[in-house]
């Protein structure tokens, strides 16, 4: 059996605003993902017929993203018909889980070459539309949580209140995200990871707003307050706004994962190896806090400490999430999302996991860092974490 799963390449599309008129809103999500798959094999001169599986993440699996969008993208990319594809949903961590499943298949000796990928077109398939107006929970969950579960924005509010983050701290973190992402754009740091989308002229991430300041964000209103929620949670003063949250986004991303032996046989140079994985469940009311135990679990499995990690990618679903993560882990804030995070670069749900992996690999290469850790909070109270090692 193989003893090492390596990352040969990682790529992503530019980020588009997840609303009509965004740069990717005119592209069918199957075509968006197919373009990334096609580019990935072409730029590595890989015969797609050698691929054992394609595992993709997508959250809103309805309409244009239904009927196993990953398999449809495999066919749309022109891969041989014998190459399979499957679509998974671990909410925001779907494509990070796809990468974990791909690496685990390689480590188990059940596959030699797997593509992990993800896509979400939030401009074309509305967030929450997959419920189709039905009850996604059922009576037994309602009995377990009689007061009712809440949306992620309210969870972010509960986290901000519990950890004591005021509005200024949240907005300052959001401004930091835009400043770092804008600097990365300006320096060309994203040039090696962002690939063209057929029919789209731009290679620039559309959601980054250079010049954003905490002061400019301070005038935005709370996004998730309702009278009913305010009555239920009187302790909240409603600090989460569109400015300190990740925006709705379109995007696709992919990682080429294989055994070290297969890479050598094909004359391909690995860029990183997987060191450890973790996945945890957490309180579904505070559903975004799983990144904290997931981080400690994956570090323990890797036999590493925070001092060993050179860069972190912690998904910025809301500013309160990475701030709580920093507070509880004691990690070095300077190593956190050094090229900006989802508040600036967007959160195309099914694509975000492999988008973070793409940025993390490139950050380690640019700085000469050895170890990187990524972690992603997820709807329903879960989180994934992954440690990679640059080769």
């Amino acid at each position: 059996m193989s003893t090492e799963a390596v990352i040969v390449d990682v790529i992503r599309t530019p980020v588009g605003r997840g609303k009509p008129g965004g740069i990717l809103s005119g592209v069918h999500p199957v075509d968006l993902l197919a373009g990334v798959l096609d580019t990935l094999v072409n730029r590595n001169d890989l015969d797609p017929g050698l691929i054992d599986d394609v595992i993709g993440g997508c959250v809103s699996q309805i309409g244009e993203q239904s009927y196993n969008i990953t398999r449809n993208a495999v066919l749309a990319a022109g891969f041989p018909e014998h190459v399979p594809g499957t679509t998974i949903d671990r909410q925001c961590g779907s494509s990070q889980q796809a990468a974990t499943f791909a690496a685990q298949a390689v480590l188990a000796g059940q596959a030699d070459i797997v593509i992990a990928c993800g896509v979400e077109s939030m401009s074309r398939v509305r967030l929450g539309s997959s419920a189709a107006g039905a009850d996604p929970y059922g009576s037994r969950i309602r009995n377990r949580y009689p007061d009712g579960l809440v949306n992620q924005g309210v969870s972010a509010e509960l986290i901000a209140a519990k950890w004591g983050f005021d509005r200024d701290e949240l907005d300052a973190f959001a401004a930091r995200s835009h400043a770092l992402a804008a600097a990365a754009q300006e320096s060309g740091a994203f040039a090696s990871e962002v690939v063209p989308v057929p029919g789209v002229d731009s290679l620039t991430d559309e959601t980054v707003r250079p010049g954003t300041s905490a002061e400019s964000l301070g005038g935005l209103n709370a996004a998730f307050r309702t009278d009913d929620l305010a009555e239920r949670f009187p302790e909240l003063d409603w600090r989460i706004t569109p400015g300190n949250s990740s925006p709705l986004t379109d995007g696709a991303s992919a990682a080429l994962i294989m055994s070290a032996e297969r890479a050598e046989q094909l004359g391909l140079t690995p860029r990183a190896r997987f060191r450890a994985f973790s996945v945890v469940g957490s309180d579904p009311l505070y559903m975004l806090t799983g990144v904290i135990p997931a981080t400690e679990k994956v570090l323990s499995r890797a036999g590493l400490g925070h001092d060993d990690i050179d860069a972190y990618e912690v998904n910025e679903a809301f500013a309160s999430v990475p701030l709580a993560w920093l507070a509880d882990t004691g990690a070095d804030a300077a190593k956190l999302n050094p090229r900006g995070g989802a508040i600036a670069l967007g959160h195309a749900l099914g694509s975000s996991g492999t988008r973070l992996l793409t940025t993390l690999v490139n950050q380690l290469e640019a700085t000469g860092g050895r170890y990187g850790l990524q972690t992603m909070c997820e709807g329903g109270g879960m989180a994934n974490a992954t440690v990679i090692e640059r080769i």
Side-chain angles (χ1 to χ4, degrees), residues 79-154:
F79 288 10
E81 293 172 347
H82 71 258
V83 178
T86 191
T87 307
I88 62 173
D89 173 9
R90 201 186 283 278
Q91 295 292 280
C92 303
S94 295
S95 59
Q96 182 170 352
Q97 185 64 63
T100 296
F101 284 157
Q104 288 171 339
V106 169
L107 290 166
Q110 298 303 301
D112 293 318
I113 303 173
V114 185
I115 292 178
C117 59
V119 66
E120 205 82 32
S121 179
M122 301 178 79
S123 64
R124 299 172 70 102
V125 183
R126 183 175 56 83
L127 177 64
S129 61
S130 55
D135 172 16
Y137 296 118
S139 61
R140 294 182 64 154
I141 285 184
R142 288 196 299 274
N143 290 338
R144 182 172 182 177
Y145 302 98
D147 293 331
L149 298 176
V150 296
N151 63 50
Q152 291 193 14
V154 178

Side-chain angles (χ1 to χ4, degrees), residues 310-380:
D310 298 294
Y312 299 97
E313 286 288 329
V314 180
N315 194 46
E316 296 173 358
F318 304 89
S320 57
V321 176
L323 285 173
W325 179 89
L326 275 173
D328 272 32
T329 63
D332 184 350
K335 298 177 181 179
L336 172 63
N337 301 347
R339 298 185 175 197
I343 290 173
L345 293 167
H347 183 15
L349 307 176
S351 173
S352 286
T354 37
R355 199 284 293 168
L356 264 65
L357 182 61
T358 298
T359 302
L360 183 58
V361 169
N362 282 283
Q363 171 68 15
L364 292 175
E365 289 179 339
T367 60
R370 181 177 181 183
Y371 293 112
L373 185 153
Q374 73 170 96
T375 187
M376 178 86 64
C377 58
E378 297 155 0

Side-chain angles (χ1 to χ4, degrees), residues 243-254:
N244 54 44
S245 308
S246 57
L248 303 179
T249 315
D250 298 342
S253 54

Side-chain angles (χ1 to χ4, degrees), residues 168-235:
D168 289 344
E169 289 177 280
L170 298 170
D171 288 345
F173 186 86
R176 171 192 186 268
S177 184
H178 283 283
L180 291 172
Q185 275 188 341
E186 181 66 24
S187 70
F190 295 135
S192 62
E193 68 187 60
V194 177
V195 298
V197 176
V200 176
D201 293 334
S202 177
L203 283 172
T204 301
D205 295 316
E206 191 179 20
T207 54
V208 179
R209 300 193 303 273
T212 297
S213 66
E215 291 73 23
S216 65
L217 296 174
L220 297 174
N221 293 325
F224 300 99
R225 184 196 180 281
T226 67
D227 290 343
D228 287 345
L229 287 169
E231 182 177 355
R232 179 179 172 184
F233 301 107
E235 73 274 22

